Amino acid sequence: PRSTLFPYTTLFRSSTSYNQDEAEELTIDSINHQGTTTVITLKEPLKYKHLAEVQKAEGQEFEMRAAVGLLSRNIVIQGDALSQDQQRGCHIKIDSLSREHYRYLAKISYAEIRYAGQAHNLGRYPINYHMIGNAPRSLVVGNSIHHTYYRGLGMRDVHMLKVQKNVIFATQGHGIFMEDGSETENIIE
């Protein structure tokens, strides 16, 4: 049976060549389940060849496949109409008012964050955990962070933060950035 998708369900497929510009952003037309097989039909054909094979080197096998990530989410946090021209979009900042009070909790999960971050403005990343110390109950899970103007996720003096299952695509600069290098015990998957 054909599945129902919300409008503009998009995904990206990474390049498998030496040219990073061969990454593609595509729109899903349908998803069909046929027994144990799932068939995804795209609205437009791929422009580039993307490898999906097993290669051997020095007696070992390596799976060589393009990364594919779903960019669309039901909850969208984005900059306004001027963001693209000015490269100054929205940003989410979790900040400690006092370094002595590490009681902050922020859970950001399964949201689409786009047209975010502020180019060349330190600390104005789409998501920025800033000097909150130990954050064992905080997390950034399952988000899509794409088409940003300054990195994807920044962390400064934060410890024990869970960063898992996120898709970060088309950013200016790092996808995930540790600002000081003093950050410890974070889980990044």
Side-chain angles (χ1 to χ4, degrees), residues 105-120:
L105 171 66
K107 294 182 178 184
I108 304 169
S109 59
Y110 298 97
E112 179 178 355
I113 300 158
R114 61 186 183 201
Y115 316 128
Q118 298 178 1
H120 316 296

Side-chain angles (χ1 to χ4, degrees), residues 65-187:
R65 303 183 195 286
V68 176
L70 184 65
L71 298 178
S72 301
R73 301 289 191 274
N74 288 329
I75 297 170
V76 178
I77 301 167
Q78 69 179 24
D80 63 17
L82 297 175
S83 293
Q84 288 181 318
D85 294 334
Q86 299 174 351
Q87 293 191 344
R88 295 180 61 84
C90 63
H91 70 103
I92 301 166
K93 186 171 186 178
I94 298 87
D95 197 353
S96 173
L97 298 175
S98 167
R99 294 192 69 175
E100 298 169 12
H101 297 94
Y102 294 144
R103 298 176 293 182
Y104 298 90
L105 171 66
K107 294 182 178 184
I108 304 169
S109 59
Y110 298 97
E112 179 178 355
I113 300 158
R114 61 186 183 201
Y115 316 128
Q118 298 178 1
H120 316 296
N121 194 351
L122 191 63
R124 298 298 190 251
Y125 318 125
I127 300 175
N128 186 13
Y129 281 78
H130 185 257
M131 300 179 76
I132 62 170
N134 295 337
R137 297 182 310 139
S138 292
L139 55 83
V140 181
V141 174
N143 299 288
S144 164
I145 305 167
H146 63 95
H147 296 91
T148 69
Y149 310 119
Y150 201 24
R151 304 187 170 120
L153 164 67
M155 300 163 59
R156 180 177 183 199
D157 191 22
V158 61
H159 314 283
M160 297 184 267
L161 177 67
K162 277 191 210 175
V163 179
Q164 299 170 309
K165 301 179 184 179
N166 296 289
V167 175
I168 302 174
F169 175 69
T171 64
Q172 286 188 28
H174 306 82
I176 299 173
F177 178 64
M178 305 279 191
E179 198 164 318
D180 287 340
S182 63
E183 298 75 19
T184 60
E185 299 183 67
N186 296 296
I187 298 171

Side-chain angles (χ1 to χ4, degrees), residues 4-111:
T4 305
L5 301 169
F6 54 91
Y8 312 112
T9 302
T10 57
L11 57 86
F12 86 91
R13 177 167 279 227
S14 67
S15 172
T16 57
S17 77
Y18 293 105
N19 184 351
Q20 69 181 10
D21 294 329
E22 290 183 7
E24 299 186 64
E25 194 171 338
L26 307 154
T27 304
I28 297 172
D29 185 42
S30 66
I31 300 174
N32 294 298
H33 303 283
Q34 301 165 352
T36 59
T37 304
T38 300
V39 177
I40 298 174
T41 305
L42 304 173
K43 284 195 182 247
E44 58 278 332
L46 292 167
K47 294 177 187 171
Y48 305 103
K49 180 180 179 180
H50 298 274
L51 295 178
E53 59 189 40
V54 176
Q55 295 186 356
K56 291 185 179 182
E58 298 181 18
Q60 292 187 332
E61 290 185 349
F62 298 93
E63 290 197 28
M64 304 296 286
R65 303 183 195 286
V68 176
L70 184 65
L71 298 178
S72 301
R73 301 289 191 274
N74 288 329
I75 297 170
V76 178
I77 301 167
Q78 69 179 24
D80 63 17
L82 297 175
S83 293
Q84 288 181 318
D85 294 334
Q86 299 174 351
Q87 293 191 344
R88 295 180 61 84
C90 63
H91 70 103
I92 301 166
K93 186 171 186 178
I94 298 87
D95 197 353
S96 173
L97 298 175
S98 167
R99 294 192 69 175
E100 298 169 12
H101 297 94
Y102 294 144
R103 298 176 293 182
Y104 298 90
L105 171 66
K107 294 182 178 184
I108 304 169
S109 59
Y110 298 97

